[in-house]
Amino acid sequence: SHQTVTGPACAITIYADSEVIVQNGTTAVLRCTFDSSEVVTKATSVSWTFQSNQPDSPASILYFSDGKAYPGQEEFKHRVQFVGDINKKDASIQLSPAQFSDNGTFFCDVKNPPDVSGTQGRTELRVVQKGNLFAYSMWTVASVCGALILLIAVAIAACFAVRVIQNRHDYEGCTSLEGASSEAPRPLKKAESSREGTRSTSPSGPLQGPVIYVQLDHSGSKNSFHKMEPVVYADIRKN
């Protein structure tokens, strides 16, 4: 049987700053580096292009090959310079002086044969008025801080809501236990009520005791007739 061994794909990885902010009239450095499994040679080439915010076709601003840099269009010809070191896999450029017309996207494409396929590096350049860079930076920091504070507030609110729901659940559990315990002595109350019922059926008046007959002398003489009269003694009991 034959075993096929596939070699690694020939690809190059390019890195670039996602955004660069500079003041008008100053120098803008656009960094671009790359990784390649192949050794850098004279055949290694770098192409820088620019896409403005207008719907125009990309403009070539610099081409580097065989150790030499070749400026592109006239508007960049005297302002762009290759400042990288191709042997260190650095293909950075600088733009000086930066102009408002430079607002847009810069693309860095590197080819190191046979590593020729890869995604271009992309950098968004923002050119601002002098004196506005600090304000722009502060606005950016404030936006980031505001987003973080909002996330923290949402997290705290979520934790508080969970705590309230949990406490409510625990309270309902305690209430059900108290209700079950309060229902236990109810049969005793029923027994007491039955006793009260039996008491209520008995006569409400004073209870009479036994009738005792005694002899009473009405005449006061010794020979008088003794008459037997009934005397009723009330039976006084403590409730």
Side-chain angles (χ1 to χ4, degrees):
S1 60
H2 299 279
Q3 182 177 2
T4 302
V5 179
T6 303
C10 296
I12 189 169
T13 306
I14 303 172
Y15 306 94
D17 295 331
S18 59
E19 185 180 50
V20 174
I21 304 172
V22 297
Q23 297 185 57
N24 182 38
T26 61
T27 300
V29 177
L30 306 180
R31 298 182 180 88
C32 178
T33 58
F34 62 94
D35 284 337
S36 175
S37 59
E38 299 295 327
V39 178
V40 175
T41 63
K42 291 183 178 182
T44 304
S45 63
V46 179
S47 297
W48 277 91
T49 55
F50 169 71
Q51 175 67 61
S52 67
N53 294 329
Q54 304 298 326
D56 299 330
S57 59
S60 175
I61 61 175
L62 185 138
Y63 178 76
F64 181 92
S65 179
D66 195 14
K68 296 179 181 180
Y70 303 92
Q73 291 188 353
E74 187 67 26
E75 61 177 313
F76 295 102
K77 186 174 183 179
H78 302 289
R79 297 189 299 122
V80 66
Q81 182 180 357
F82 188 85
V83 294
D85 187 344
I86 199 67
N87 293 319
K88 296 181 179 179
K89 300 179 180 179
D90 186 349
S92 303
I93 62 173
Q94 76 174 19
L95 190 64
S96 181
Q99 303 174 358
F100 291 117
S101 59
D102 297 332
N103 279 291
T105 307
F106 289 79
F107 297 93
C108 174
D109 188 19
V110 181
K111 297 186 182 303
N112 186 34
D115 289 355
V116 295
S117 62
T119 304
Q120 299 180 87
R122 176 172 177 166
T123 299
E124 188 77 17
L125 179 63
R126 298 183 184 274
V127 182
V128 299
Q129 184 70 33
K130 284 186 177 182
N132 293 342
L133 182 60
F134 177 76
Y136 185 86
S137 301
M138 291 301 296
W139 180 84
T140 304
V141 172
S143 300
V144 173
C145 292
L148 291 176
I149 292 174
L150 180 61
L151 291 176
I152 292 173
V154 171
I156 293 175
C159 293
F160 180 76
V162 172
R163 182 72 60 84
V164 170
I165 295 174
Q166 185 176 4
N167 292 341
R168 183 178 299 175
H169 178 72
D170 296 340
Y171 175 77
E172 291 177 355
C174 294
T175 304
S176 61
L177 291 176
E178 291 177 358
S181 61
S182 61
E183 292 177 358
R186 287 185 179 178
L188 296 177
K189 293 182 179 180
K190 292 181 179 180
E192 292 177 358
S193 61
S194 62
R195 292 180 182 176
E196 293 176 356
T198 55
R199 290 179 182 176
S200 61
T201 55
S202 61
S204 59
L207 300 177
Q208 291 184 349
V211 178
I212 303 174
Y213 291 88
V214 297
Q215 293 182 353
L216 299 177
D217 187 356
H218 296 278
S219 61
S221 60
K222 295 180 179 179
N223 298 324
S224 62
F225 176 75
H226 294 82
K227 184 180 178 179
M228 303 295 291
E229 293 183 357
V231 177
V232 179
Y233 293 87
D235 185 10
I236 301 176
R237 301 178 183 178
K238 293 183 180 180
N239 292 334

